[in-house]
Each structure stands twice: as C-alpha cells, then as structure tokens.
Amino acid sequence: MSEEIPAVDDPEHPERPGIEHKEATDSSNPLGVDRPNETAEDYTLTELLAVTAAHEIADHETAFIGVGMSLMSGVLAKYTHAPNCQLVTESGYIGSVPPGVVQSISDSVLGVDALVATDQCEIFTDNQRGAFDVGIIGAGQIDSRGNTNSTVVIGDQSYDRPKVRLPGSGGSNDIMTSCGRTVVMMRQKRRAFTTDVDYKTAPGHLEYPGHREELGFVGKGPCAVITDMAVFGFDDDGEMVLESTHPDVPVEDVRDEVQWELRVADEVTTTREPTRAEVAMLRTIDPADVVLRGTDYVYEVGFEEWSETVLEHWRQLQSIQDE
Amino acid sequence: MSEEIPAVDDPEHPERPGIEHKEATDSSNPLGVDRPNETAEDYTLTELLAVTAAHEIADHETAFIGVGMSLMSGVLAKYTHAPNCQLVTESGYIGSVPPGVVQSISDSVLGVDALVATDQCEIFTDNQRGAFDVGIIGAGQIDSRGNTNSTVVIGDQSYDRPKVRLPGSGGSNDIMTSCGRTVVMMRQKRRAFTTDVDYKTAPGHLEYPGHREELGFVGKGPCAVITDMAVFGFDDDGEMVLESTHPDVPVEDVRDEVQWELRVADEVTTTREPTRAEVAMLRTIDPADVVLRGTDYVYEVGFEEWSETVLEHWRQLQSIQDE
Amino acid sequence: MTLQNTGTDHRDGTDDEPNGREKITDLETAIADYVHDGSSVAFGGMGGRDPEAAAREIVRQKKTGLTVLDDARTTLLDIMVGAGCVDEYVGSWVGTSLISQGHNIRNAVENEIPHHLQMRDVSNFGSSLMFLAGAMDVPFVPTRSMLGTDIPEHNDALEIIDDPFGSGDKLTLVPAERPDVAIIHVQRCDPLGNAQIHGNVVNDHLKARAAEHTIITCEEIVSTDEIRKTPELTRIPFYTVDAVAEVPFGSHPWHCYGRYYADLPFYREYGLRSQNREDFLEWLEEWIIPHEDYLEKIGADRLETLERMEHEINAPAEVRS
Amino acid sequence: MTLQNTGTDHRDGTDDEPNGREKITDLETAIADYVHDGSSVAFGGMGGRDPEAAAREIVRQKKTGLTVLDDARTTLLDIMVGAGCVDEYVGSWVGTSLISQGHNIRNAVENEIPHHLQMRDVSNFGSSLMFLAGAMDVPFVPTRSMLGTDIPEHNDALEIIDDPFGSGDKLTLVPAERPDVAIIHVQRCDPLGNAQIHGNVVNDHLKARAAEHTIITCEEIVSTDEIRKTPELTRIPFYTVDAVAEVPFGSHPWHCYGRYYADLPFYREYGLRSQNREDFLEWLEEWIIPHEDYLEKIGADRLETLERMEHEINAPAEVRS
C-alpha cells in the first residue's frame, strides 16, 4: 500500500476509530429517517451493542467478521458510517453486501455481490500476512489481558471431559494472532471475566507487555471488549481498562462482574447511544430479530410465512442498496 | 483412486507402456489415412523421436509435459493411441486439447478446451503428491544413472561464471522428483552423456540403488531416455541400458557417444518406426515444421501469411477433433 | 499413496469412452465403497454446501468408529455423533449456528452419550494447513497461528519450533492429515470427476487432494464439454476423485450457493428435537431414510421455494457459467 | 509489512467514492512510483500474460541494480538484462522459447556483458513456494523438490533438514521471498485493484500477496459491479494492490488468453536481433518507446489480427464473464 497509509505495525494504526457524532450523510441514513442523528427513543441493549461494535469499523477498512452480532455490526457499518469498508469472512467471501441476517459462515447471502469468492486457506494466508484491519470475535471467557477461551470450561474436570464443551477456536485464534486489531464481544459475567481462563484459545496480550512482539505476531491483539454492560479498552501494559458503561450502568456493577481488580479510565464515559438512523437500519437488516433479540418467532410461523418474510426483507435491503 | 488401479508406489506401475503395433481404431487414425498402420515411407528423425516419446504415454494417463518436442509428443498421443490421456502443463492448464504447436508454457493454445485452469503452485502440489503418471523433460547433460543437468556447463569455470549458462531447472527437477516416471529427451553427444554431470539439476537414480527411496520420493525417476540415435531404459540398479537403436544406427555408434561403459540389453532391438497415420498426424499438428524440423520458415514469410497459416492449421486440427 | 494414476494398466489397450474413465455411481454405493468402520473422513462446505445427504447415508449404513478430520462442522457432525458413528473429531469448531447448539456433540464430550467423543482442537487456519500439508505430501506446514495459546498444549500433533532460519521467531508446525475419504458436495461435476464450485470454496480443494479417496456428490452431473467452458471453476480435478454421485439438494437443510437457500425452519426443528436424547432418536427414525424418500418427505413445493429464494439473491448456475 | 490496511486514517471521516479508494494511474507513473534503482521485482505471467509493456517502461526509465525474483522468465528479462537494468535473478528458468535463446542473459552470465548477472537457481515448485512463504508471512515452506541435487549446493538460501516429526525423510526448506514490487498483467481489473484472471494463473496470486507493493496492468479497467458478477475469477484482491494501469496489449508480443495471440514473427525478430550486441542496441533504440507509440508502430491491423487469432481458439472475455 502506498506510503502515506499507516501500516499495521505503525503504532498509530491500531487505534480504534472515534465514535463522535458525525454529520449524517446520505450514505449514513439510506432509509431517510427523520432526525437521523438524534438518539433513538427506544432501543434494546442488543441494538446498543451492535451499534457500538459497528463503530469499531472505520470507513475504508477491511473487517474480518463472523456470524451473529459480529456480522450484524459489519453490515450495519457498511450501510451507515462506513460504506467503503469491506467485509471478509473465513469461508472465502470478500467484499460482499449481504442483504440480511447471516445464519452460517457460508450463508449464501455472504456471496451476494462479493468481490472475491475464494478458499479459506487463502483468506487466512492474507490474514497472517496482515491484510485485514479489524476483526470481531466472540468468546466464553476472557482474562484481564484479553486472552480468550472459546474451547472448554474445564472446571474440576479435564480438557477431554470438560464441564462445558464450547464450539472451539473457529477463526478466533487466527484473527487475534494476525488481524490489525480485534474487538471481542461477550456477556459480562463474573465467571466469564476471570483471573485465569480455563483454556487459552485466542492470544490477547498474553502474559506480559511485549510478549506478542516476541512471538512475531503481526496483529496488535485485542483493542476493545464490548459487553452488555460496558466497553473496555487496553492500556499500554496490555491490561483491560473500563472506558465506558452503558446508560444507567454504575461502574460498581461492572466491577462486580469482573474477578480481577479492574483498571478504570480516569474519566469513564457513558456509551454513546444508538441514533434513530442506526436503530432503523438495524431493524431493517434483522427485522425478524433473529440476532438482535435472539427470538425464533420467524421460524415458528411455518415455512411459507418464513420464506415470504425473508424474501421481503432481502428486497427491502436491496432496494436501499440500489439507491 | 479405486483399489484395482495400481499406485505409483506399486512396483508394477512405473513400467512403460508397450509399443507393439495395435489394431488402429478410428481414434488412432482421425485423418483417415490409407493403410494407417504401415510404416511410413518417409519420415524424419525428429518425427521418429516424437512418435517414440508419444508411445511412452499410455491411454488414460496424466502426462506432465513442457514445450517443444515434449508437448508435441503429448498432443500426438492424444490424437492417436491415447485419446483419454490428459495433458498437464506447469503454467496451470490440465486436460486441454491444443490445436497446434505450442510456443511457450503459457501459450493460449494450452487453454483450448482445458478441464482446469489453475495456478502453478497447485499443479506442483499435485505433482508432489504423486498425481501424475508420466513426465517428459529435456536436459543438457545426463549421467549413467539418469541424473540430468539443464543449469550450467561449468567446464573449468564456476557456477557463477560458467562456460555455458543453460535455462535452468524449470519444472524438470520437480517432475523427476515426484512424477510417476519420467522420460528424458536429449541429443546423443559424448559430451552430454557424461560420467559426471557438471551440475545435478534433476534427480535421476542418484548415487546408488535405493537412494531415491531413502529421500522419500514418490516418483520412480527416469524410465527412459530417447535420443536421436537410440532409446534407453534403466535396470534394477538404476543404470541406463541401451534398449533399441534407431534404424541403421549400429550399437557401436551409440557407445561412442557415451562416456561410461554402457550397459546394453541382451537383445537390442530396432526402434519401432512411425506409421503412416502417425506421421500424417504429426505434420498436421506442426505443418510449419517449427518443432519437428526446427525451421523458421513460417516466420520468415511475413506477418500476414504467418497468421493465415496458423489459423488454417488450427481450423484443420479442430475439425479433426470435432469429428 | 493413492492420489494418482488416472491411468490404469497401460497395457490393456484402447478404451472407447471418449472422455476417459467414468466414475458415476449412486450415493449408497459410494458410501458403502469408501466409508468403512473406523475410517477417517473429511466433509466439504462449512454451513453451506455441506454434504448433508452423504452424512445421513453414513448414519443410515450404521458406520461406526469414524474419525472426522475437519474444519468447522455443524449439523451433519451433530447427527453423526448423536447416532454413535463418530469416535474422534479433529478440527476447529463444532456447533451449529444461531438456532441450534450442537447438543449431541456436547452430550458426547461432556456426558459420554452415546459414547465419548475425543476432541483434538486446531484453529481454522490450522485446519486449512493440515489439509494443505496432506495435499502437498509434506510432513507439516508452518504457521504463526496457535502460538502462545493452549491449543498446542492439548493437541500433541502440533509442534512448536524455533525458526531454523534464525529469525528468533517461534513457529507452529501443523502436521499433514490425510483422511481416508473426503466427501465434497458441489454444484456440478462431470462423469470424470472434474468438480466445479460456484462461490466460496472453503477448504474443499485441499481436502480432496489430501484424502486417499474422494467422493463428489453434486447437484448436477454435466458433460465434460460443459466443464471445458469455465475451466477456472474446476477446483477439484478428476485425478483426485474416485466416485461421482448426483444428489440433488444434497446440502439440504443448508445452502447451496446459486441453487437453493438454507431451510432454516427445518434446521430449527432439528435444533429443538436434538435437545434431548429421546426426541433426537425419534428425529433419526423420521429422517434417516434414503435421500429420494427424504426429498419426497420435504416436498417439492418447499424445495422449489428454497430455489426461488436463492435465485432472488444469487444468479442461478445456468446464468453464471 | 505493507500488505495491509485498505483503511487509512480512520478519523478523517467520510469519503464520497462509493466503492472505496481508487488506484488508477498510468504505466509511467506506476513504474516511477514503485520501481526504484536496486528494487527487487517479480513479474507475472510466464510466456503468456507477461507484463511486457511494464518491463519496457522500466528499461525506458533506465532503472538499474534490480533483482528479479521470479519463476520462469523469457523476453522481458532478456531485454532488461541486455539493457543493464538487472544485477541478480532468483528463479527457475531463463531463456525464451523455440525461436529465441536468451542471448542477453547468456552474455551477461558468461561474458559479463553489459555486466555480470548473478544467478540463484530454484526449481519451478521452489519458485512457487518462495512466494507462497512470502504470502503466508512464514520464514519457509518445506518441499521434497531439489533434494539430492546441486540446486541447494549453489543456493545458500535453501536449507535441508531432517523432518522434525521423525519420519526420517529429508526436506528442503524454501525461504520466503518478498519482492519490493510485483507487476502483474491481467485481463481485467476494477479501480480498487480487484484483478481478474481468465485462464491459467501461474504464480501471480502468490506474487501479488508476497510483494510489498503490487502494480496491476490490465487490458481493461472495468467497474466494480462488473467484478461482482464473477467473484471466483478475482485472484488478486484489492488489498494487495497499490496501482492499476490500463495497458491494452500490455503483454505483446506474448499471448493474453482470451484477448490476443502471441506475435511470434515480432518475437522471432527479437531473437535474431538480440544475437549480437550492436543489433540489440538498435532494437532497444527502436522499440523502447512509450507504450502508445509502441502500439502505433506495431499497427492497428496487426493487433486486430492477433485478437482475431485468439478469438478463433479461446472465447473472448465478453463471452466468458
């Protein structure tokens, strides 16, 4: 890339994009919502999380995303403040414009208008080379240095016969190792924010400052953790720092859900609330609440109504895109 | 592959196909030549070599071929006795049906009707895995164990500043290492059939019996050497053995062009001569004698006549293929 | 070594098939011929273009003791584990998606029901590389993934070394895996086994190459001449393929890019009914049937709707090739 | 590390280009910006789809001290070596084809005319793997090629090791190469740098990924929407590309699959005129000119004939995509 573009190993680069309010442009309000930049009157916690994660993706960035909330945030970013970001998925699609909710990592909505359809080995080759700016992953446990566990909750048992078997790394290890920076989305639970993860699946800031560099990683590791209560960053030591709490969440409540002595920013802010435009767009991307509210109602209605509902949503989003 | 098909590491496999006369079928005489199986009345030495090499490819085999004589032989095999062989070229085409002479390894005639258009790394990955049956390569020097040199004639100079710089390995090293068996085509010259090659580019039977197996090679190495005077095989020790001489070439003349004490088969035969059908087909593949006689006349005629001649040949071969 | 030799006994002379040896068979025969008790198996796709029908046929044929060598794997593994076919899984991710949770897999790992499932974890890239190494016939391929984590601690097959070129970097060596059989579902394939993939490829090109045997199931068998029109899409060449079975809707209930969308209501029902053992066994009874019967049970209208949905978002194959 | 960051300063807000940052430039600027004296360069194609116009532009801009990191390389290397641009070549094969013999390369290696050309040999697979390792950002990739031969004896960058997994096999480790710049010619590319290749790919996808910078020259710049119709053909994605220049007939006198056939009479003339130094210098004088002038000198009729020839054997791009 040309000289003036900061590189991943440029200390400036892994900084997260700002989330200050910007003047809405047409591309950030494609639905034509009234007063698009005003705080939404009603929004759910999940919508707040999706919007917060979306703002971790800046315009023109390549964003390595998975299913569920991760992809929802990527699609929201692309339809709002980051129209030139390009989405990358590990199954082999780059630059697609998904017209709706994604159910699996090879969901054919990820093929819609893709720039590249290739294989997984090539995607992760490029990831290892440092081609991607930001990744968004999930995890079951996390420690104060952002090391995550999505493999096993061992408890007093063993890896082979654990208390809870989780899905496994998927791409989360590879993304945390090599992606420019990584955002982790998790539930804020004391048992999950642990002093010692049962199994280290993906490398956060590892054991000590400089540990990642020693191992030769091109990625800068976790830059943010977004939970249902708060947003955390990481300080120069690689320790998690509480940056903001969601509206009406006291700092103490967050502390209670963390096993270690939590570092807290000098000025803990309140997480920026979603705008009217953002909430409207989210509801257009996922009108059936599959991701956002985790409800199954669209599947309960029977096959015919399901298929008609899905088709209708696709057409709606595609018409936005065509404009 | 299914159980009944012999594997590369099956000792039976690397045996070369017989070249006994077979009843001509339609596919082996697509030009409809009279008395197709009779020995051609007039043929050149180069035509003899091309036909001899073609018979090293059996029907249904995958043949890894290069430009020039190697490809000419592959195309001839496909148009005559081996209609189901599939040609593989290192630039990334598999299964093409070239309508004429090939000028480079990415010649677009190699793209004609290809089954696969892929990359070089994948072709050599498959080669290393043992996917290909027979390769045909050239070389500048060869020793009694079939080790070849196509890199440098050093003489009393050095690798860096050699007497003669040759083109280099190309794919010949990779083919000799991993292809099921390899045929080498060379000029019979005493200075080329040497007791010690100046530089070992491609591995023949290396230093001693079992040496290839020790290194873990999947390919069986050189199975035949075809020159302008003779055809050689290799015995169980990995030593070259004179099998046949071309018509009117005495065994002694061949010995004179070999630096070592040549092993000679109990019964040295005369190389089978080309048939009328084979010579007719060769002249259709290369009517301008670019490969077969090494003449440049088609380029001397001027651009317009050249292009018309080439187009005409393509159409002729394509009409054969369509039948 | 078996990925070789489209050829056969060279001395048996001519063969009248103009395009070489044909490999067409039916699904039942393909599974019976290549998947045996104790086999290691890799499946293609990844929550899309998965060979679901082939996996159900494995269950129907009551194969046991299988090792699944894979990347991320969803429904078909959960069904096979619940049915008792699988002893070990080597891969990067198990589970399903939003609306189903891999209940059988958890039950096997945590509770040994129906019996214990041995897990050997790698990352997704690790999974690609184990097939790449197998495809290349080298003992390993190096990566930076998995360093500093517990993945190599619990997967003895992985080695950590110092870069022999002296950079001071550490590297994870991912050893080659060579499944006994790879089963890949694609949109189209010719009788010789030239398999074309529209859309994303995941690790299918590598699995077919790494495996000792490869079964292609496809939506449609097309002529070799049809393949020649778009040689760039032939990601799996004939010489890596042993059997070709035409299995329309072979990925149902998952997606097949350009052909049909995922049947998510069906999939959700599986998620609900796999939550307890008794319901799951009933589900097996109901749905582990020959593929033709399965499709009939789903119903032509429903399948047609899934096709219509996919064509709404991605151009159908006849337009694309 | 430079293969990264389509992004830029995230804080500079919106950008009105609907499809992201455009990278269109002209050939002269692209070469001036990315190829410097002493640069290491990899060229795409291989006796077909070679970036001949780009190489002539390098000669025209009198770049010196270049290292060419490559696989097999023909005319363009011979011209550059004869013109004194190149100090070192790392690759698998040099020369030309049937009717020309790489006279300048031999003259440089054997006789130091115009100055010595340092050679570092690898096999063809070795060449693919040095770019694969560079693309993967690992120090090496192992292979069985080159074992038992003199290639590693004269190429100190290659290492022979015993398989650390204890198979007893030896392996050749091919070290990563990262050219300063890769120059790849393709049939079509969009303004973002999504480069599509029809027909064979050779090592181009790996070279673009291994290189610090990539210049795409293309027959035709097409819209991003056009690229989206056949995403399987995008072998070089935008994030590996720095500059895109539309250079019609950019591979002349070589072939460009689906576009035009090789101009073999032109090529033969080069072969004849490069046999001695004086004739070669005259050839340089005559043909090292801006690409537009070059094409005019070749003549529109002749170029059209080459297109007609190629279309006779391979369907043109507009039919294929």
Side-chain angles (χ1 to χ4, degrees):
Chain A
M1 311 310 298
S2 54
E3 243 74 278
E4 68 279 12
I5 299 180
V8 159
D9 48 2
D10 176 328
E12 287 259 87
H13 173 79
E15 279 182 29
R16 294 147 56 202
I19 56 166
E20 64 278 12
H21 278 266
K22 290 178 192 131
E23 196 60 37
T25 63
D26 280 354
S27 66
S28 65
N29 182 22
L31 293 169
V33 172
D34 280 346
R35 297 169 285 120
N37 292 332
E38 286 185 16
T39 297
E41 293 82 5
D42 66 322
Y43 62 87
T44 64
L45 179 57
T46 318
E47 285 168 340
L48 174 74
L49 303 192
V51 169
T52 304
H55 279 287
E56 296 288 338
I57 301 169
D59 203 17
H60 289 288
E61 287 197 309
T62 44
F64 201 142
I65 49 173
V67 291
M69 283 291 277
S70 167
L71 193 101
M72 184 69 68
S73 303
V75 176
L76 178 65
K78 190 155 182 72
Y79 279 108
T80 56
H81 67 278
N84 303 297
C85 76
Q86 302 287 8
L87 309 180
V88 178
T89 49
E90 62 202 23
S91 70
Y93 291 116
I94 301 167
S96 66
V97 189
V101 177
V102 173
Q103 295 291 351
S104 77
I105 201 63
S106 279
D107 194 313
S108 53
V109 306
L110 288 169
V112 174
D113 287 336
L115 294 169
V116 185
T118 182
D119 57 76
Q120 181 168 95
C121 195
E122 193 159 86
I123 294 283
F124 281 113
T125 290
D126 291 351
N127 177 60
Q128 187 165 270
R129 181 80 165 87
F132 305 130
D133 297 309
V134 53
I136 305 182
I137 66 170
Q141 289 183 331
I142 196 165
D143 69 18
S144 72
R145 302 188 62 79
N147 301 301
T148 62
N149 173 17
S150 51
T151 304
V152 275
V153 178
I154 293 178
D156 52 7
Q157 296 175 234
S158 67
Y159 165 80
D160 275 343
R161 202 173 171 318
K163 190 161 162 237
V164 183
R165 173 67 214 195
L166 303 170
S169 164
S172 71
N173 172 279
D174 312 299
I175 290 170
M176 279 271 253
T177 302
S178 302
C179 210
R181 61 186 198 280
T182 304
V183 176
V184 183
M185 298 187 80
M186 292 187 60
R187 295 204 182 168
Q188 186 85 49
K189 291 280 174 206
R190 191 173 171 83
R191 66 163 189 265
F193 279 66
T194 175
T195 47
D196 198 10
V197 293
D198 284 26
Y199 178 107
K200 202 182 293 165
T201 306
H205 297 289
L206 292 170
E207 304 307 315
Y208 47 85
H211 196 173
R212 292 179 62 89
E213 290 74 10
E214 267 178 36
L215 290 172
F217 291 174
V218 60
K220 292 296 177 192
C223 66
V225 180
I226 299 172
T227 76
D228 46 340
M229 296 178 79
V231 178
F232 305 83
F234 289 86
D235 64 18
D236 291 345
D237 297 341
E239 288 287 328
M240 204 184 292
V241 178
L242 179 65
E243 286 186 345
S244 74
T245 61
H246 301 337
D248 305 324
V249 176
V251 170
E252 277 321 296
D253 287 10
V254 178
R255 272 196 221 274
D256 285 348
E257 298 295 346
V258 175
Q259 289 183 15
W260 65 87
E261 195 162 332
L262 183 63
R263 296 188 187 183
V264 171
D266 292 344
E267 226 174 313
V268 174
T269 59
T270 299
T271 309
R272 170 192 175 285
E273 293 174 273
T275 65
R276 290 168 51 81
E278 287 164 345
V279 170
M281 181 52 73
L282 267 178
R283 291 176 188 177
T284 304
I285 296 169
D286 184 16
D289 290 348
V290 173
V291 175
L292 291 176
R293 293 194 179 94
T295 126
D296 278 1
Y297 100 75
V298 71
Y299 303 109
E300 288 163 15
V301 295
F303 181 82
E304 283 309 320
E305 195 175 330
W306 167 77
S307 64
E308 278 160 31
T309 310
V310 171
L311 276 167
E312 198 181 290
H313 302 155
W314 287 346
R315 287 174 189 148
Q316 192 181 355
L317 260 183
Q318 283 180 320
S319 71
I320 290 170
Q321 196 188 320
D322 290 344
E323 272 160 25
Chain B
M1 311 309 298
S2 53
E3 243 74 281
E4 69 279 12
I5 299 180
V8 161
D9 48 0
D10 176 328
E12 287 258 84
H13 173 77
E15 279 182 30
R16 294 146 58 200
I19 55 166
E20 64 277 11
H21 279 265
K22 290 176 191 133
E23 195 61 36
T25 62
D26 280 355
S27 66
S28 64
N29 183 21
L31 294 169
V33 172
D34 278 346
R35 297 171 285 121
N37 291 330
E38 285 186 17
T39 298
E41 293 82 6
D42 65 323
Y43 62 85
T44 64
L45 179 57
T46 318
E47 285 168 341
L48 174 74
L49 302 192
V51 169
T52 305
H55 278 288
E56 296 289 335
I57 302 169
D59 203 17
H60 289 287
E61 288 198 306
T62 44
F64 201 143
I65 48 172
V67 291
M69 283 290 280
S70 167
L71 192 100
M72 184 69 66
S73 303
V75 176
L76 178 66
K78 192 158 181 67
Y79 278 108
T80 55
H81 67 278
N84 304 296
C85 77
Q86 302 287 8
L87 309 180
V88 178
T89 50
E90 62 201 24
S91 70
Y93 291 116
I94 300 168
S96 66
V97 189
V101 176
V102 174
Q103 295 290 350
S104 78
I105 201 63
S106 280
D107 193 313
S108 54
V109 305
L110 289 169
V112 174
D113 286 336
L115 294 169
V116 185
T118 182
D119 57 76
Q120 182 169 94
C121 195
E122 193 159 87
I123 294 282
F124 281 113
T125 290
D126 292 350
N127 177 60
Q128 187 165 269
R129 182 78 165 86
F132 305 130
D133 297 308
V134 53
I136 305 182
I137 67 171
Q141 289 183 331
I142 195 165
D143 68 18
S144 71
R145 302 189 62 78
N147 300 300
T148 61
N149 174 15
S150 51
T151 304
V152 275
V153 178
I154 294 178
D156 50 7
Q157 296 175 234
S158 67
Y159 165 79
D160 276 344
R161 202 171 170 321
K163 190 161 160 237
V164 182
R165 174 67 214 194
L166 302 170
S169 164
S172 70
N173 173 279
D174 312 299
I175 290 171
M176 278 271 253
T177 302
S178 302
C179 208
R181 61 186 197 279
T182 305
V183 176
V184 183
M185 298 185 82
M186 292 187 61
R187 294 202 185 172
Q188 186 85 50
K189 291 280 174 206
R190 192 173 171 84
R191 65 163 191 264
F193 278 67
T194 174
T195 48
D196 200 10
V197 294
D198 283 27
Y199 178 108
K200 203 182 295 166
T201 307
H205 297 289
L206 293 170
E207 303 309 314
Y208 47 83
H211 197 174
R212 293 180 61 90
E213 290 72 11
E214 266 178 39
L215 290 172
F217 291 173
V218 61
K220 292 297 176 191
C223 66
V225 180
I226 299 171
T227 75
D228 45 340
M229 296 177 79
V231 178
F232 305 83
F234 288 86
D235 63 19
D236 290 345
D237 296 341
E239 288 287 328
M240 204 184 291
V241 178
L242 179 65
E243 288 186 344
S244 74
T245 61
H246 301 339
D248 304 325
V249 177
V251 169
E252 277 322 295
D253 288 11
V254 178
R255 273 196 219 274
D256 284 348
E257 299 294 347
V258 174
Q259 287 183 17
W260 65 88
E261 195 162 329
L262 182 64
R263 295 188 189 185
V264 171
D266 291 344
E267 224 173 313
V268 175
T269 58
T270 299
T271 310
R272 170 191 175 284
E273 294 172 90
T275 65
R276 290 168 51 82
E278 287 163 345
V279 170
M281 181 51 73
L282 268 178
R283 292 176 187 178
T284 304
I285 297 169
D286 184 17
D289 290 348
V290 173
V291 174
L292 291 176
R293 293 195 180 97
T295 126
D296 278 3
Y297 100 77
V298 70
Y299 304 109
E300 288 162 17
V301 295
F303 181 83
E304 283 309 321
E305 195 175 329
W306 167 77
S307 65
E308 277 160 32
T309 311
V310 171
L311 277 167
E312 197 181 290
H313 301 157
W314 287 347
R315 287 174 189 149
Q316 191 181 355
L317 260 182
Q318 284 180 318
S319 70
I320 290 170
Q321 197 187 318
D322 290 344
E323 273 160 25
Chain C
M1 282 301 308
T2 55
L3 179 132
Q4 73 268 90
N5 308 342
T6 55
T8 171
D9 182 352
H10 325 111
R11 298 179 189 280
D12 78 354
T14 55
D15 186 303
D16 287 333
E17 291 159 15
N19 291 315
R21 303 212 175 274
E22 305 205 341
K23 295 160 186 167
I24 297 176
T25 183
D26 58 80
L27 179 58
E28 184 176 347
T29 308
I31 298 300
D33 284 355
Y34 293 105
V35 181
H36 308 295
D37 290 349
S39 287
S40 57
V41 190
F43 294 94
M46 185 187 270
R49 220 167 33 65
D50 304 60
E52 298 281 324
R56 286 192 300 268
E57 182 61 25
I58 288 173
V59 174
R60 206 178 71 83
Q61 293 189 19
K62 301 188 195 310
K63 306 292 183 185
T64 60
L66 303 181
T67 294
V68 175
L69 299 172
D70 226 310
D71 34 48
R73 197 49 49 190
T74 62
T75 352
L76 70 79
L77 181 65
D78 198 66
I79 296 168
M80 289 171 66
V81 167
C85 305
V86 185
D87 284 3
E88 187 178 1
Y89 163 84
V90 181
S92 56
W93 192 88
V94 291
T96 47
S97 75
L98 304 175
I99 47 171
S100 174
Q101 305 297 331
H103 304 294
N104 283 313
I105 292 165
R106 283 192 56 180
N107 217 6
V109 176
E110 298 166 12
N111 307 317
E112 310 194 341
I113 295 172
H115 59 254
H116 189 241
L117 176 65
Q118 179 71 38
M119 305 291 281
R120 179 145 63 86
D121 281 280
V122 290
S123 72
N124 257 353
F125 194 29
S127 167
S128 294
L129 296 179
M130 76 191 191
F131 294 117
L132 177 63
M136 287 179 70
D137 186 34
V138 288
F140 64 86
V141 169
T143 176
R144 299 179 189 279
S145 279
M146 299 176 280
L147 290 173
T149 71
D150 289 332
I151 298 178
E153 300 294 314
H154 291 281
N155 182 342
D156 292 342
L158 301 168
E159 294 262 334
I160 311 291
I161 62 158
D162 292 313
D163 174 12
F165 285 95
S167 66
D169 288 358
K170 295 217 178 283
L171 295 167
T172 305
L173 304 187
V174 180
E177 291 290 353
R178 292 195 178 164
D180 294 324
V181 54
I183 306 177
I184 315 286
H185 188 71
V186 303
Q187 285 92 350
R188 14 190 270 165
C189 187
D190 75 1
L192 302 178
N194 291 295
Q196 295 198 322
I197 295 175
H198 288 94
N200 66 333
V201 177
V202 207
N203 291 309
D204 298 3
H205 62 310
L206 298 176
K207 289 173 177 168
R209 287 172 161 84
E212 301 295 330
H213 300 283
T214 297
I215 298 170
I216 298 292
T217 67
C218 61
E219 290 298 319
E220 191 184 0
I221 290 176
V222 298
S223 71
T224 298
D225 281 349
E226 189 62 29
I227 296 292
R228 294 188 196 276
K229 291 181 187 167
T230 51
E232 297 92 346
L233 299 182
T234 312
R235 292 301 303 264
I236 301 177
F238 63 91
Y239 50 77
T240 68
V241 173
D242 298 85
V244 178
E246 189 172 79
V247 184
F249 293 97
S251 286
H252 183 277
W254 282 114
H255 326 70
C256 186
Y257 174 87
R259 300 279 175 157
Y260 45 86
Y261 195 68
D263 188 340
L264 295 174
F266 182 95
Y267 182 47
R268 170 178 182 269
E269 191 192 318
Y270 175 77
L272 293 174
R273 292 175 62 182
S274 58
Q275 281 174 6
N276 77 63
R277 185 81 193 149
E278 204 162 312
D279 290 349
F280 170 71
L281 293 174
E282 266 172 33
W283 187 94
L284 280 184
E285 191 70 32
E286 188 174 346
W287 290 107
I288 298 301
I289 53 180
H291 186 61
E292 295 69 24
D293 302 342
Y294 176 95
L295 292 187
E296 203 174 315
K297 208 162 185 172
I298 299 288
D301 283 359
R302 185 164 176 152
L303 295 174
E304 201 189 296
T305 299
L306 296 171
E307 288 181 314
R308 197 156 39 80
M309 291 177 76
E310 179 64 16
H311 293 176
E312 178 82 19
I313 51 172
N314 288 307
E318 53 272 28
V319 175
R320 305 226 32 246
S321 63
Chain D
M1 280 302 307
T2 55
L3 179 133
Q4 72 266 93
N5 307 343
T6 55
T8 170
D9 182 352
H10 325 113
R11 298 179 190 281
D12 77 354
T14 56
D15 185 302
D16 287 333
E17 292 159 16
N19 291 314
R21 304 212 174 274
E22 303 205 341
K23 295 162 187 164
I24 296 175
T25 183
D26 58 78
L27 179 58
E28 185 176 348
T29 309
I31 298 300
D33 285 355
Y34 293 104
V35 181
H36 308 295
D37 291 348
S39 287
S40 58
V41 190
F43 295 93
M46 186 186 270
R49 217 166 35 65
D50 305 60
E52 300 280 325
R56 286 192 300 267
E57 182 61 25
I58 289 173
V59 174
R60 206 178 71 84
Q61 294 190 18
K62 301 188 195 309
K63 306 292 184 184
T64 60
L66 304 180
T67 294
V68 175
L69 298 172
D70 225 313
D71 34 47
R73 197 48 50 189
T74 62
T75 352
L76 70 80
L77 181 65
D78 198 66
I79 296 168
M80 290 171 67
V81 167
C85 306
V86 185
D87 284 3
E88 189 180 359
Y89 163 85
V90 181
S92 57
W93 193 88
V94 291
T96 47
S97 76
L98 304 175
I99 48 170
S100 172
Q101 306 296 331
H103 303 295
N104 282 313
I105 292 165
R106 283 192 55 181
N107 216 7
V109 176
E110 298 167 12
N111 306 317
E112 309 195 341
I113 295 172
H115 60 254
H116 189 240
L117 176 67
Q118 179 71 36
M119 306 290 282
R120 178 145 63 86
D121 282 280
V122 291
S123 73
N124 256 354
F125 194 29
S127 167
S128 294
L129 296 179
M130 75 191 192
F131 294 117
L132 177 63
M136 287 179 71
D137 186 31
V138 287
F140 64 87
V141 168
T143 176
R144 298 178 189 279
S145 280
M146 299 178 279
L147 291 174
T149 71
D150 289 331
I151 299 178
E153 300 293 315
H154 291 281
N155 182 341
D156 292 342
L158 301 167
E159 293 261 336
I160 309 291
I161 63 158
D162 291 313
D163 173 14
F165 285 95
S167 65
D169 288 358
K170 296 218 178 282
L171 295 167
T172 305
L173 304 186
V174 181
E177 291 290 352
R178 292 196 179 164
D180 293 325
V181 55
I183 306 177
I184 314 286
H185 187 71
V186 303
Q187 285 92 351
R188 12 190 274 166
C189 188
D190 75 1
L192 303 178
N194 291 297
Q196 295 197 322
I197 295 176
H198 288 94
N200 66 331
V201 177
V202 205
N203 291 308
D204 297 4
H205 62 310
L206 298 177
K207 289 172 178 170
R209 288 173 160 83
E212 302 294 331
H213 299 283
T214 297
I215 299 171
I216 298 292
T217 67
C218 61
E219 290 298 320
E220 192 184 359
I221 290 176
V222 297
S223 71
T224 298
D225 281 349
E226 189 61 30
I227 296 292
R228 294 187 197 275
K229 291 181 189 167
T230 50
E232 298 92 346
L233 299 183
T234 312
R235 292 301 302 263
I236 302 177
F238 63 91
Y239 51 75
T240 67
V241 173
D242 299 85
V244 178
E246 189 172 81
V247 185
F249 293 97
S251 286
H252 184 276
W254 280 114
H255 326 70
C256 186
Y257 174 87
R259 300 280 173 157
Y260 45 87
Y261 195 67
D263 188 340
L264 295 174
F266 182 95
Y267 181 48
R268 171 177 181 269
E269 191 193 318
Y270 174 78
L272 293 174
R273 293 175 61 182
S274 58
Q275 280 175 5
N276 79 64
R277 186 80 192 150
E278 205 162 309
D279 291 348
F280 170 70
L281 293 175
E282 267 172 31
W283 187 94
L284 279 184
E285 190 69 33
E286 188 176 345
W287 290 107
I288 298 301
I289 53 181
H291 187 62
E292 295 71 21
D293 301 344
Y294 175 95
L295 292 186
E296 204 173 312
K297 208 162 186 172
I298 300 288
D301 283 358
R302 185 162 175 153
L303 295 173
E304 202 189 294
T305 299
L306 295 171
E307 289 181 314
R308 197 155 39 78
M309 290 176 76
E310 179 65 17
H311 294 174
E312 178 82 19
I313 51 172
N314 289 307
E318 53 271 28
V319 175
R320 305 228 31 246
S321 65

